[in-house]
Amino acid sequence: MILIADTLQKHSLNSGIIQFPYQVDSGSVARLIDELNYLNTKEPLLSEITLYIMSEGGDAYAGLGAYDMLRQSVLPVTGIVVGYAASAAVMILLQGCRQRHAMPNARLLFHEARTFLGTAEEGHSQRRLSDGASELSIVQDQVDQILVERTGRSLEDVQTLCTSRDVWLSAQEALQWNIIDRIVGGPRC
């Protein structure tokens, strides 16, 4: 069974397809970078890369790293949300993909940038907690600015979307927000 899965994955990759069903972290982004670099060496044979995203999100720093690498791709990258994309995974779609799509039943989750800072009782000093909060604020400002650039929305609109509570958007709502360019894959029965 593993051999079949490996064969299918290699066939997909050689066809210009990257699947991203992972939590966004340094390991999954390293794998994404390897796959992007591999596909970019196939430029004469491929005209674009399709990135299928179904991810629970994860680390904002890793997500920004994926963004930087996707923006450097020689081949244009089309991102398609399948099922759901949460937080950092939405940022990968929004920031790194030149064309952004979602399947009709896809859901996208937005929230304020988050990280685990710990508490003073766990041995962290007040200064360490303050420094962590300052850094998180810088990351949130970066994400907000990218959202403004990619959606054409005002900073106030973006900050309303990225509140401290979770905000789930349907594919249709994501289209209205300019987070995706179109909904793909309608019924074929």
Side-chain angles (χ1 to χ4, degrees), residues 19 21 25 29 37 44 49 87 89 94 125 140 146 151-152 167 177:
Q19 297 177 37
D25 60 25
V29 170
N37 287 336
I49 296 169
S87 61
L94 187 65
S125 69
Q140 184 64 53
I146 292 168
T151 65
V167 177
W177 264 87

Side-chain angles (χ1 to χ4, degrees), residues 6-68:
D6 286 345
T7 301
L8 290 173
Q9 185 175 5
K10 285 178 186 174
H11 176 72
S12 291
L13 190 60
N14 285 326
S15 299
I17 297 170
I18 298 174
Q19 297 177 37
F20 195 83
Y22 312 108
Q23 181 174 358
V24 179
D25 60 25
S26 58
S28 65
V29 170
R31 180 182 179 145
L32 176 63
I33 290 168
D34 287 345
E35 291 174 346
L36 279 169
N37 287 336
Y38 171 76
L39 290 177
N40 278 304
T41 66
K42 305 288 184 193
E43 183 189 0
L45 303 173
L46 294 173
S47 60
E48 74 172 343
I49 296 169
T50 302
L51 174 62
Y52 288 99
I53 303 169
M54 184 165 58
S55 170
E56 64 201 48
D59 179 38
Y61 296 110
L64 289 170
Y67 159 70
D68 287 338

